[in-house]
Each structure stands twice: as C-alpha cells, then as structure tokens.
C-alpha cells in the first residue's frame, strides 16, 4: 500500500492549482502599484482587471461588479450591514434574516447588532424552510428599513444545495435584499446573480484552487452598495480601501478561469468518485448515516456519521491512516465542537459528522484507500462495542 497521504478536505481549502501558482509567481514581478499612472502601475492595474473579469465570468457577473477583499469572511462582514448607500444617499436596512446553517462568517451577522438578527430554520434534510422565511418577512416592520436575507447556495458541511432562486422570489416580494454565500458553489454548480436573482454573492479564492487570503463580493449592480468596511484611499471604486493584493488577485483569476473551463466533465468525474466512495462505505458499515443523500448535493461532498464514533476520534483515526478529512467545517481556528448545522437539522450535534470532500486531483486510488481506511475504522468500532 502507498504511504503517500491522501487529501480529502477540499471544502476546507483546495490544493493550489499549477495555473494559479504560475500566475502568482509571474505577478510577483509586477513592480507597480495599481493606483499609479505610470507604465508599471498601468501594467499592474491591467492584470487586476483581467482577474476581475475572470472571477466575474465564473459566477456569471460583469467584472466591474466584482470587489476584491481579503477573503470571504471580509466580504461577508462588508455586505452584512444595516448601512447602505444609493449613490451618495444613505439607505437604512431594518433587519437581517440568516439561515440556521450558514458559515459562522455569515451566521454571526456581520455589522448588524444582535437585536436586528433573526434565524431562518431548516428542515430535517438540511434545506432552508421557505415557509418560515415567508412568515418571518411577513412580520418584518417596513418602517424600520429594508430586510436583508442571507442564505448560502451550498452548505459547507453537508454539500446540500439550497433553494436560493425560490427564496429570491419571496425576498424581493417583500422589498428585501438577498445575500448568497457561493463559496462552496462556485466551480461546482452554475452560479449567476441574474439566473438566481440575488443581489450579492460572496466567493473565495482558496476554495477553487487559488491562493489563500483573497475573496470577492460580487454585486448585481452598483446602484445600492454597503457602506465600506475598510476605509482609506478609496480603492476598488471606494468599496474597499487598501492597496490590492496583486499576486493573490491574479492567482484568484487564474483559478477562476480553470474552474470555468471543463466544468461539466470535471464534475461528472468527481460525482462518479463520490458514488464509488459512498457505495464502499455502505458496504463496510450499513449503519453509516450520509447526510443529504436523498437531497440535491454538490458532487464533491460526503458528510457522514458512523454511529458509536465521535467525529474528533474519527478524524484522528483517518489521519493516522494517512487521510486528511474534516470534522464538519474548518472555520473556527482548528476547533472541533458541536455542529450547529446538525443541530439545526434536528440531529444530535454531540455525535458530530465527518466530511470527505473531493477536488480536481482526487483519483480512484485515493477513493479506494479511503474506503479501506473507513472499513478498518468501522471494524475497530465494532470490536470496541463487543469488548464493552
């Protein structure tokens, strides 16, 4: 058996693409500040504008509607605010309605005070309840300001696709704004602000094979925009100040171009690998619980619970077998705790869930080794039960 480690934690961060690495290294030689008007500055600006178009093309948006940030967390904090501007005129939002399964960067509400935040429940299958959203917005006091709703397109822990387009109809019927975390969706399913009828999208570089430390807030237009989170020199058309991370942005653009090219073939291959994985897991342990298996999911994600095995114990066991996977979502500085996603689904969060996520370099050999490790760990669990 190979002693090479197997990486199956792509939802936490994707491996850096060779194309993105090459773009970053090339960008290191761009000497100019993109705000400078001399030739070197214009060259840096042109490279950023190319990346802006590439990211826009990946998510079906115009490049000029892409605002680069230090990552998805900053993008979330930038857009989740009661303070908006329509041109130079202030616009006040009156409340934030967030699904119970959001990533903490969104679930914690950004710049909205606690008293203005409301949670949208989900079904036992982990899907946002549209009836509850309708009821919440029907009770929103219009005189307080416009409502804002935040619903992720793909859940980071389960891979379950959320009914964003249907939610958009409800939100806009109540005069609200819809913010969508598309971090786990970009490059895996079609994404478009127009097609989904959403007002803002959040995307991240390192989830699609680009460098860490760069993301973007993508708007439907530029008429209504949040008050800047980072102020100063008026960069990014005044929406996000600070000299741009040229190397990171150009690497992000290269990764976006890769993700947009060969999309269908790559996802079909990954879907077949996940099917092989889950078939092997069920054969080794028929009692395994696979979350969202009867619900629409992205092709690369398998979240599961093995009864009798704690998530953190399972994660360590797989690591010792040479396989990197996740206990839920890697979003809390390495902490392993109860899953708020499982809790929202009505599951016992103390059990926890393990998450296997696949990516562009995952092979059939990787999957077969993961199945072998799973069978070994499941077998040890049974032996422990018998001994007890």
């Amino acid at each position: 058996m190979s002693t090479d480690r197997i990486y199956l934690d792509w939802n936490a961060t994707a491996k850096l693409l060779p194309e993105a690495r090459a773009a970053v290294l090339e960008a290191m030689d761009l000497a100019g500040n993109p705000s400078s008007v001399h030739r070197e500055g214009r060259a840096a600006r042109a490279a950023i504008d190319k990346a802006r178009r590439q990211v826009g093309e990946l998510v079906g948006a115009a490049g000029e509607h892409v605002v680069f940030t230090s990552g998805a967390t900053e993008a979330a904090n930038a857009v989740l605010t009661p303070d908006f501007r329509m041109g130079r005129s202030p616009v006040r939002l009156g409340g934030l309605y967030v699904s119970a399964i959001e990533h903490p960067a969104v679930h914690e509400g950004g710049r909205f005070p606690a008293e203005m935040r409301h949670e949208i429940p989900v079904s036992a299958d982990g899907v946002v309840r549209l009836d509850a959203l309708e009821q919440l917005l029907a009770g929103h006091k219009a005189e307080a300001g416009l409502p804002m709703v935040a619903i992720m397109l793909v859940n980071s822990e389960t891979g379950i696709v959320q009914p964003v387009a249907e939610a958009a109809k409800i939100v806009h019927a109540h005069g609200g704004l819809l913010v969508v975390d598309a971090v786990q969706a970009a490059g895996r399913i079609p994404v478009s602000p127009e097609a989904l009828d959403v007002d803002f999208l959040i995307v991240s570089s390192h989830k699609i094979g680009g460098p860490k430390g760069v993301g973007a807030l993508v708007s439907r237009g530029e008429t209504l925009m949040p008050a800047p989170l980072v102020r100063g020199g008026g960069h990014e058309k005044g929406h996000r100040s600070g000299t741009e991370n040229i190397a990171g942005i150009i690497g992000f653009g290269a990764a976006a171009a890769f993700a947009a090219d060969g999309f269908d073939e790559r996802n079909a291959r990954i879907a077949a690998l996940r099917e092989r994985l889950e078939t092997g897991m069920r054969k080794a342990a028929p009692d395994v619980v696979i979350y969202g298996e009867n619900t629409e999911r992205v092709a690369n994600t398998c979240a599961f619970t093995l009864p009798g095995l704690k998530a953190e114990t399972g994660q360590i066991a797989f690591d010792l077998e040479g396989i990197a996977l996740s206990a839920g979502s890697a979003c809390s500085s390495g902490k392993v705790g109860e899953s708020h996603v499982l809790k929202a689904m009505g599951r016992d969060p103390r059990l926890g869930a393990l998450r296997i996520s696949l990516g562009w370099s995952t092979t059939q050999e990787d999957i077969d080794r993961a199945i072998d490790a799973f069978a070994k760990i499941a077998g040890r669990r049974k032996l422990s039960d018998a001994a007890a």
Side-chain angles (χ1 to χ4, degrees):
M1 179 178 290
S2 172
T3 57
D4 293 339
R5 287 188 59 81
I6 303 297
Y7 187 75
L8 295 176
D9 198 14
W10 293 75
N11 283 9
T13 193
K15 289 185 178 180
L16 185 66
L17 284 159
E19 293 84 350
R21 181 190 301 274
V24 169
L25 291 175
E26 185 176 344
M28 293 290 186
D29 290 329
L30 290 174
N33 186 313
S35 295
S36 299
V37 298
H38 47 59
R39 180 183 297 179
E40 289 80 2
R42 295 197 305 273
R45 173 57 55 195
I48 287 177
D49 288 343
K50 177 183 176 182
R52 201 184 303 279
R53 291 191 299 271
Q54 290 170 321
V55 173
E57 288 168 2
L58 176 62
V59 295
E64 58 264 28
H65 295 160
V66 175
V67 176
F68 287 117
T69 65
S70 66
T73 295
E74 184 193 318
N77 279 270
V79 73
L80 299 179
T81 175
D83 298 316
F84 268 67
R85 298 287 184 270
M86 184 172 288
R88 295 184 177 180
S89 301
V91 176
R92 183 72 176 173
L93 272 60
L96 175 66
Y97 300 83
V98 180
S99 88
I101 56 171
E102 296 299 304
H103 185 284
V106 174
H107 194 259
E108 293 183 9
R111 293 184 275 172
F112 277 90
E115 63 271 16
M116 295 179 70
R117 304 175 203 159
H118 312 273
E119 189 173 86
I120 312 164
V122 301
S123 70
D125 290 326
V127 178
V128 171
R129 285 181 47 199
L130 298 179
D131 61 329
L133 172 62
E134 173 68 55
Q135 186 175 6
L136 284 167
L137 291 183
H140 178 80
K141 297 179 180 179
E143 62 272 18
L146 302 175
M148 173 179 279
V149 175
I151 298 175
M152 62 190 353
L153 185 49
V154 171
N155 182 261
S156 58
E157 292 190 28
T158 64
I160 294 171
V161 179
Q162 302 299 317
V164 166
E166 294 84 350
K169 295 177 183 178
I170 298 171
V171 174
H172 292 143
H174 289 275
L177 298 176
L178 179 58
V179 175
V180 171
D181 171 357
V183 165
Q184 299 291 349
R188 294 174 184 155
I189 60 174
V191 177
S192 165
E194 291 291 337
L196 295 171
D197 194 23
V198 305
D199 300 289
F200 296 93
L201 288 175
I202 297 168
V203 289
S204 174
S205 167
H206 76 101
K207 303 294 188 178
I208 62 170
K212 301 174 182 67
V214 60
L217 176 64
V218 183
S219 61
R220 183 79 169 270
E222 293 185 281
T223 303
L224 186 63
M225 292 293 288
L229 172 66
V230 182
R231 304 170 186 267
H235 305 76
E236 294 293 293
K237 295 184 180 180
H239 301 307
R240 199 278 186 184
S241 292
T243 300
E244 293 89 345
N245 173 6
I246 301 174
I249 287 170
I250 292 173
F252 188 7
F258 175 90
D261 185 38
F263 176 92
D264 292 331
E265 295 82 358
R266 185 166 53 252
N267 281 284
R269 184 186 72 83
I270 289 174
L273 290 176
R274 188 189 68 184
E275 179 60 29
R276 184 182 184 91
L277 169 71
E278 293 182 350
T279 298
M281 289 168 60
R282 291 190 190 97
K283 184 178 180 179
D287 61 339
V288 65
V289 178
I290 298 176
Y291 297 103
E293 61 181 331
N294 298 315
T295 308
E296 184 183 3
R297 289 180 289 163
V298 287
N300 82 312
T301 304
C302 171
F304 64 94
T305 291
L306 197 54
L309 182 71
K310 291 183 178 180
E312 57 266 38
T313 303
Q315 186 177 25
I316 293 169
F318 275 99
D319 193 45
L320 291 173
E321 293 293 332
I323 296 172
L325 49 68
S326 171
S329 178
C331 54
S332 303
S333 298
K335 298 177 184 177
V336 177
E338 294 185 354
S339 168
H340 74 285
V341 173
L342 293 185
K343 184 177 180 181
M345 293 168 63
R347 310 277 184 165
D348 185 350
R350 293 172 298 177
L351 293 176
L354 294 171
R355 182 188 66 193
I356 290 175
S357 47
L358 319 182
W360 57 265
S361 71
T362 305
T363 65
Q364 183 173 307
E365 181 185 1
D366 295 340
I367 296 303
D368 289 344
R369 283 185 55 192
I371 294 170
D372 289 343
F374 176 88
K376 186 183 296 185
I377 292 166
R380 286 202 298 262
R381 173 201 57 157
K382 293 175 183 176
L383 289 172
S384 297
D385 290 345

